[in-house]
């Protein structure tokens, strides 16, 4: 199988490229900074056509992950890059898929679970989930993220690829022990005593273990009857206070001091990020995957946290010994 991953040099792309490469597939990552990897990396700029388009001719799947990281301050310049990098690259990939011959079988396009409303009462699924943006207490930064997600999904929906099935991945945070990923960051904070509940700790955290993320994408590639929006998240999101308590326990962290909203605002400024990533309630469940019989290997957080922490510790021991 040939898998082409535009924007596949980041956290999620590395998880996928590594897994598909290990299985013996032909993996091609499109990147603005081609470097040597165990898979092929081909140059593109994410904005304009080029020789990279030939890689799509007859490939089996295109997984477009391109987008400036949202882990930054939402300045005017960053906001523009966050939105443009997603919308422009999605249109570009859509046009390249439409022109490819033979056509790719399936296009899996990254979107985000952040598109759903901040809520506590019920989980958001693909059928009855509320899209965000109209919450009366939503800060401007939360509205911005939803505007980006809507524009991103709009660019995908408008792309006409009659011979290629389209699937939109509303993914939760994808957890792997890799350095600098979101899990690594959370573990490091927890081990420094900063793993207490954030705010009142009631906000839900949606997450997915890397092995379930890879399996879900593989499953979506194989199931021709599935197209449109698919939530890629474990079926059991949980409140921040419980999520952090389990993480502290599994990674051997000391009790964590709770952080109030103003403490988080200062911390976010120092870390050059936004509190939205920790304070917004993301209660998202994968109804379509479950209805179609997809089996999660790590549906519950304690077992997922144990496995991830185990590999995180092994990796660090090896790193220190080297
Ligand atoms: N990580 C998660 O848990 C998560 C959850 C939900 C949704 N998502 C979405 O899934 C996608 C992949 O996530 P990720 O964590 O792997 O992201 P990432 O580590 O930030 O990687 C995204 C890639 O996009 C490319 N890129 C960045 N800025 C760009 C720009 N201005 N123009 C063109 N390309 C640019 C970069 O590749 P080069 O520098 O090599 O060109 C980068 O490696 C993102 O769109 C993200 O919003 C991620």
């Amino acid at each position: 199988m040939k898998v082409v991953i535009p924007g596949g040099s980041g956290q999620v792309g590395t998880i996928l490229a590594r897994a598909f490469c290990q299985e013996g597939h032909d993996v091609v990552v499109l990147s603005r900074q081609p470097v040597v990897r165990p898979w092929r990396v081909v140059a593109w700029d994410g904005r304009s056509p080029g020789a990279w388009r030939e890689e799509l001719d007859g490939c089996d799947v295109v997984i477009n992950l391109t987008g400036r990281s949202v882990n930054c301050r939402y300045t005017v310049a960053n906001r523009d890059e966050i939105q443009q990098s997603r919308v422009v690259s999605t249109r570009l990939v859509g046009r390249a898929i439409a022109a490819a011959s033979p056509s790719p079988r399936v296009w899996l396009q990254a979107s985000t679970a952040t598109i759903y409303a901040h809520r506590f009462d019920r989980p958001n699924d693909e059928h009855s989930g509320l899209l965000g943006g109209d919450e009366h207490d939503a800060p401007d930064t939360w509205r911005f993220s939803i505007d980006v997600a809507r524009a991103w999904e709009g660019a995908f929906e408008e792309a006409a690829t009659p011979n290629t099935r389209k699937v939109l991945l509303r993914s939760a945070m994808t957890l792997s022990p890799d350095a600098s990923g979101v899990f690594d960051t959370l573990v490091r904070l927890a081990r420094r005593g900063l793993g207490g509940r954030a705010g009142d700790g009631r906000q839900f955290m949606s997450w997915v273990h890397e092995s379930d993320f890879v399996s879900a994408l593989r499953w979506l590639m194989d199931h021709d009857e599935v197209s449109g929006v698919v939530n890629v998240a474990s079926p059991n999101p949980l409140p921040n206070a419980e999520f952090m308590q389990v993480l502290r326990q599994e990674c051997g962290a000391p009790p964590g001091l709770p952080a109030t909203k103003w403490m988080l605002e200062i911390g976010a400024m120092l870390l050059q990020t936004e509190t939205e990533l920790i304070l917004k309630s993301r209660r998202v469940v994968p109804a379509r995957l479950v209805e179609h019989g997809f089996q999660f290997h790590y549906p519950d957080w304690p077992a997922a946290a144990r496995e991830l922490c185990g590999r995180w510790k092994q990796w660090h021991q090896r790193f220190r010994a080297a």
Side-chain angles (χ1 to χ4, degrees):
M1 180 168 76
K2 181 172 180 185
V3 184
V4 181
I5 316 180
S9 61
Q11 195 222 336
V12 175
T14 301
I15 291 170
L16 292 172
R18 191 170 52 207
F20 293 136
C21 200
Q22 273 166 9
E23 289 170 11
H25 300 301
D26 178 13
V27 176
V28 180
V29 162
L30 304 185
S31 167
R32 294 166 305 162
Q33 293 143 9
V35 286
V36 177
R37 288 274 181 266
W39 42 86
R40 282 196 299 132
V41 184
V42 168
W44 81 329
D45 65 5
R47 288 188 309 237
S48 38
W52 59 267
R53 298 211 311 186
E54 290 163 23
E55 294 295 340
L56 272 61
D57 291 335
C59 77
D60 295 278
V61 55
V62 179
I63 309 172
N64 183 24
L65 302 173
T66 309
R68 193 239 187 272
S69 171
V70 294
N71 188 12
C72 60
R73 295 299 285 175
Y74 291 170
T75 59
V76 173
N78 284 346
R79 284 180 190 227
D80 187 55
E81 195 184 344
I82 287 170
Q83 174 139 341
Q84 289 304 311
S85 58
R86 286 173 171 73
V87 171
V88 171
S89 65
T90 301
R91 288 189 186 132
L92 183 66
V93 168
R95 284 196 292 271
I97 289 175
S101 177
S103 304
R105 262 191 317 113
V106 55
W107 173 12
L108 306 181
Q109 170 60 45
S111 175
T112 172
T114 296
I115 197 166
Y116 289 111
H118 168 73
R119 72 192 290 195
F120 302 90
D121 57 339
R122 288 181 53 188
N124 287 307
D125 66 19
E126 299 92 332
H127 310 301
S128 61
L130 299 176
L131 296 194
D134 297 327
E135 302 94 321
H136 70 281
D137 53 351
D140 154 71
T141 44
W142 299 12
R143 288 217 180 84
F144 160 70
S145 295
I146 287 158
D147 290 345
V148 169
R150 284 179 187 257
W152 198 10
E153 293 198 355
F156 177 70
E157 276 151 20
E158 281 162 20
T161 61
N163 302 316
T164 301
R165 177 166 59 94
K166 292 163 70 183
V167 180
L168 195 52
L169 309 167
R170 287 188 180 156
S171 307
M173 63 177 175
T174 304
L175 302 180
S176 76
D178 293 304
S180 307
V182 60
F183 180 79
D184 182 45
T185 305
L186 289 171
V187 171
R188 284 171 190 278
L189 287 171
R191 286 166 69 105
R192 288 185 191 129
L194 299 172
R197 64 160 202 264
D200 65 15
R202 286 192 314 127
Q203 69 278 24
F204 276 77
M205 298 186 63
S206 279
W207 57 277
V208 60
H209 187 287
E210 63 166 326
S211 71
D212 281 330
F213 184 81
V214 173
S215 304
L217 265 61
R218 205 184 285 113
W219 187 94
L220 288 166
M221 291 173 199
D222 292 343
H223 282 73
D224 289 337
E225 72 281 14
V226 181
S227 59
V229 173
V230 176
N231 291 348
V232 187
S234 92
N236 296 304
L238 68 172
N240 167 275
E242 284 175 43
F243 182 95
M244 294 309 295
Q245 189 265 323
V246 170
L247 182 69
R248 287 196 304 275
Q249 186 181 315
E250 295 301 336
C251 75
L257 289 175
T260 59
K261 282 188 186 176
W262 69 263
M263 289 160 78
L264 291 167
E265 287 298 345
I266 293 172
M269 221 146 28
L270 293 173
L271 294 172
Q272 288 293 292
T273 187
E274 291 285 346
T275 55
E276 179 212 10
L277 302 172
I278 193 90
L279 288 178
K280 177 171 169 177
S281 189
R282 292 175 174 81
R283 192 171 182 183
V284 177
V285 292
R288 294 195 69 203
L289 283 173
V290 171
E291 284 158 13
H292 281 83
F294 176 77
Q295 300 277 335
F296 282 84
H297 206 76
Y298 293 100
D300 296 305
W301 177 230
R306 193 165 311 131
E307 196 280 338
L308 290 165
C309 286
R311 278 192 292 141
W312 188 92
K313 285 179 196 161
Q314 273 174 17
W315 189 83
H316 277 262
Q317 275 157 8
R318 271 208 302 273
F319 186 71
R320 267 201 233 109

